[in-house]
Amino acid sequence: MQADNRLPRYQRLRDELVAMIAARHWRPGEAIPTEQALAKSYDVAVGTVRKAVDLLVAEGMLERFQGRGTFVRRASFDSSLFRFFRFQTKQGERRIPESRILRREVVEAPSAVAAALQIAPNARVIRLSRLRLIDDVPMLAEEIWLPFDRFEAFARLPIDGIGDLLYPVYEAECNQVIASATETLTVEAIGPLHARLLRIEPGTPTVVIERLAYGYDRHPLEWRRSRGPASEFIYQAEIR
Amino acid sequence: MQADNRLPRYQRLRDELVAMIAARHWRPGEAIPTEQALAKSYDVAVGTVRKAVDLLVAEGMLERFQGRGTFVRRASFDSSLFRFFRFQTKQGERRIPESRILRREVVEAPSAVAAALQIAPNARVIRLSRLRLIDDVPMLAEEIWLPFDRFEAFARLPIDGIGDLLYPVYEAECNQVIASATETLTVEAIGPLHARLLRIEPGTPTVVIERLAYGYDRHPLEWRRSRGPASEFIYQAEIR
DNA sequence: TAGTGGTCTAGACCACCGC
DNA sequence: CGGTGGTCTAGACCACTAC
């Protein structure tokens, strides 16, 4: 198994580093070997190692600290909600919303979900219905889908032992690490079901965020759809 | 005028290159000197030049072409609308919407506009009201504000000689080059005035895009607010 | 073919961290 | 203090472009 020799060395090295992370040989939070050590063991110059690491730092997979070392970055999605919504407490704080899991069931995957998760149609999936609240006010209604075979342990967890953030649970209980995700935003008038959950009028404009989350190996692990009132929505972008 | 000696050389060099671009010594579309030449004239190693240029390429200010040279990038905002909307023709093409300027006037800047453009309150500004259409169907209603002193020539242009894109006109007629911008998106129920322009029902959810556009020297040059139907809105993001 | 950016090397010295 | 990443140099060779 030899990588394509036509690619630059720093590219091939980058790919090998990714493979080590994907294989959980180096785990999130841990330091990878020093640049000198990597240069020696992969038989390239230190400058080449630096360039490969530069790429992964830019991709958000590694984090460098002068004098300490280079570490596998733990993806933090906590701030993702704040990227799109101005949610805050009455005191103006921003904190992670409380989670209330309304329902958990194992079902056959609807075809759209199966396609997104790249599993067989009608394969079993875990379906989670969840409400996220700040100061007891519902802010987001979420549906979450997980492939059953990878997340079997999750289906058996006592439901009220699950905290506000799911990704640490995936990691601890199912050995599945979320590394990245793509999100698609649209605006819809909310249906009666979700309107009741969010305690707003049916037909109120809501922002729908569809997120497909991947492991380090770019295999899709979770699909979710979140809805929040459009009045709370705000997004900022840099254009060049 | 000596830059801070504590900054790395590649950082100082980057700043000097930006200054050359901001001063229009090197203009958009033109090549800057070769890496060898820059290394010689700034008395640093080629590797240091490369790192400075790397930064500006990442920032979108320069563009490299192997074998040809390094060029000052002309910011292209044409695709910015497509970043947020699924606008397309009946044939499914994506092209730049037609522009129809409804009104152009010189007024005193409202305080919010003056603050955004960093000009004196009540300083004169050019206010443009514009409609953007695809297949004669209105897609976006825009208000655009320009500081009068920089864009005086624009106020005198025959209004139907102005094409679908404004930024090339700013450059050709006013010597003002837009280099970057920040956009803020929110969702609002549309008011009766804009509803009539867009030929939709008052109260329909619309996405409001506020854009502040800057020159290479980061000085604000244009402020605009665009409204489009939320039903056409779609946005995709990568999360890490 | 001459000139451009792209890759890669080898090594020096600096700034910062933790012990 | 030793070890880490950060900066900078100098030079070789490659790949691509324009003429």
Side-chain angles (χ1 to χ4, degrees):
Chain A
M1 94 152 224
Q2 169 86 353
D4 189 342
N5 263 313
R6 292 166 306 180
L7 285 177
R9 289 200 187 187
Y10 68 86
Q11 272 289 356
R12 284 178 288 168
L13 178 52
R14 173 208 164 276
D15 294 343
E16 300 200 52
L17 298 182
V18 169
M20 293 294 273
I21 296 169
R24 309 205 63 191
H25 191 82
W26 303 324
R27 299 185 176 222
E30 289 179 6
I32 69 171
T34 69
E35 300 183 341
Q36 296 289 344
L38 288 172
K40 190 157 231 175
S41 68
Y42 287 97
D43 195 30
V44 295
V46 179
T48 305
V49 173
R50 281 194 69 77
K51 186 142 187 179
V53 172
D54 279 346
L55 288 178
L56 291 175
V57 169
E59 290 174 42
M61 201 169 288
L62 294 178
E63 222 169 350
R64 278 204 260 235
F65 298 94
Q66 178 172 136
R68 290 208 288 138
T70 302
F71 297 78
V72 179
R73 182 156 170 272
R74 185 180 300 278
S76 76
F77 291 70
D78 325 355
S79 61
S80 153
L81 296 178
F82 301 124
R83 197 192 308 262
F84 298 128
F85 289 92
R86 48 168 80 97
F87 295 152
Q88 48 187 27
T89 61
K90 289 172 204 148
Q91 289 77 37
E93 275 178 288
R94 294 185 141 192
R95 70 164 128 77
I96 297 167
E98 179 203 345
S99 287
R100 213 170 279 167
I101 294 177
L102 305 177
R103 196 191 180 99
R104 177 183 60 185
E105 51 192 344
V106 177
V107 297
E108 288 193 352
S111 57
V113 173
L117 292 176
Q118 294 176 26
I119 56 178
N122 305 325
R124 284 198 298 170
V125 289
I126 303 169
R127 180 182 177 283
L128 220 60
S129 172
R130 189 166 80 144
L131 205 55
R132 311 204 67 177
L133 314 93
I134 293 182
D135 291 335
D136 278 318
V137 180
M139 292 290 173
L140 275 186
E142 299 187 311
E143 290 159 52
I144 299 170
W145 306 81
L146 301 165
F148 181 75
D149 54 354
R150 283 176 186 258
F151 288 88
E152 196 172 349
F154 185 86
R156 286 195 306 267
L157 281 180
I159 219 167
D160 35 0
I162 300 172
D164 291 341
L165 295 175
L166 292 177
Y167 293 174
V169 181
Y170 296 167
E171 191 173 339
E173 305 295 333
C174 311
N175 207 33
Q176 302 290 328
V177 182
I178 304 293
S180 65
T182 59
E183 295 189 328
T184 303
L185 280 74
T186 53
V187 178
E188 287 180 10
I190 201 163
L193 217 93
H194 292 111
R196 200 157 47 78
L197 289 180
L198 292 174
R199 296 187 215 144
I200 56 182
E201 282 298 307
T204 304
T206 50
V207 171
V208 182
I209 305 180
E210 290 182 0
R211 176 194 289 176
L212 189 55
Y214 302 89
Y216 282 114
D217 58 0
R218 298 291 298 171
H219 197 87
L221 295 179
E222 180 210 59
W223 190 78
R224 63 167 75 182
R225 180 150 48 192
S226 312
R227 295 163 203 272
S231 58
E232 297 288 325
F233 172 78
I234 185 168
Y235 177 67
Q236 306 208 15
E238 290 280 329
I239 312 290
R240 288 188 301 250
Chain B
M1 89 148 227
Q2 168 88 350
D4 189 342
N5 264 311
R6 293 165 305 179
L7 285 176
R9 288 201 187 188
Y10 68 86
Q11 272 290 355
R12 283 178 287 167
L13 178 53
R14 174 208 164 276
D15 294 343
E16 300 201 51
L17 299 182
V18 169
M20 292 295 273
I21 296 168
R24 309 203 64 187
H25 192 83
W26 303 325
R27 299 185 176 224
E30 291 179 6
I32 68 171
T34 69
E35 300 183 342
Q36 295 289 343
L38 288 173
K40 190 158 233 173
S41 67
Y42 287 96
D43 194 31
V44 295
V46 179
T48 304
V49 173
R50 280 193 70 76
K51 187 140 189 183
V53 172
D54 279 346
L55 288 178
L56 292 175
V57 168
E59 291 174 42
M61 201 169 286
L62 294 177
E63 223 170 350
R64 279 204 260 235
F65 298 95
Q66 177 171 140
R68 289 208 289 137
T70 301
F71 297 77
V72 180
R73 184 156 170 271
R74 186 179 300 279
S76 76
F77 290 70
D78 325 357
S79 60
S80 151
L81 296 179
F82 302 124
R83 196 193 309 263
F84 297 126
F85 288 93
R86 48 168 78 96
F87 296 151
Q88 50 186 28
T89 62
K90 289 170 204 149
Q91 289 78 37
E93 276 178 288
R94 293 185 144 194
R95 69 163 128 79
I96 296 168
E98 180 203 343
S99 287
R100 215 169 278 169
I101 294 177
L102 305 177
R103 193 191 183 96
R104 178 183 58 185
E105 51 191 345
V106 176
V107 297
E108 288 192 353
S111 59
V113 173
L117 292 177
Q118 294 176 27
I119 55 178
N122 306 324
R124 286 198 299 170
V125 289
I126 303 169
R127 180 183 177 283
L128 222 59
S129 172
R130 189 166 81 143
L131 205 56
R132 312 205 65 176
L133 314 91
I134 294 181
D135 292 335
D136 277 318
V137 179
M139 291 290 173
L140 274 187
E142 297 187 312
E143 289 159 51
I144 300 169
W145 306 80
L146 302 165
F148 182 76
D149 54 355
R150 283 176 187 260
F151 289 89
E152 194 170 350
F154 186 86
R156 286 194 307 266
L157 280 180
I159 218 165
D160 34 0
I162 301 172
D164 290 341
L165 296 176
L166 292 177
Y167 293 174
V169 181
Y170 296 166
E171 190 173 339
E173 304 295 334
C174 311
N175 207 34
Q176 302 290 328
V177 182
I178 303 293
S180 66
T182 60
E183 295 188 328
T184 303
L185 280 75
T186 53
V187 177
E188 286 180 9
I190 200 162
L193 215 95
H194 292 111
R196 199 156 49 78
L197 289 179
L198 292 174
R199 294 185 216 149
I200 56 181
E201 282 298 307
T204 304
T206 50
V207 172
V208 181
I209 305 180
E210 291 183 358
R211 176 196 288 176
L212 188 55
Y214 302 89
Y216 281 113
D217 57 0
R218 298 292 296 170
H219 197 88
L221 294 178
E222 180 209 59
W223 190 78
R224 64 167 77 181
R225 178 150 49 191
S226 311
R227 295 162 203 273
S231 58
E232 298 288 324
F233 172 78
I234 185 168
Y235 176 68
Q236 307 208 15
E238 292 279 332
I239 312 289
R240 288 188 304 247

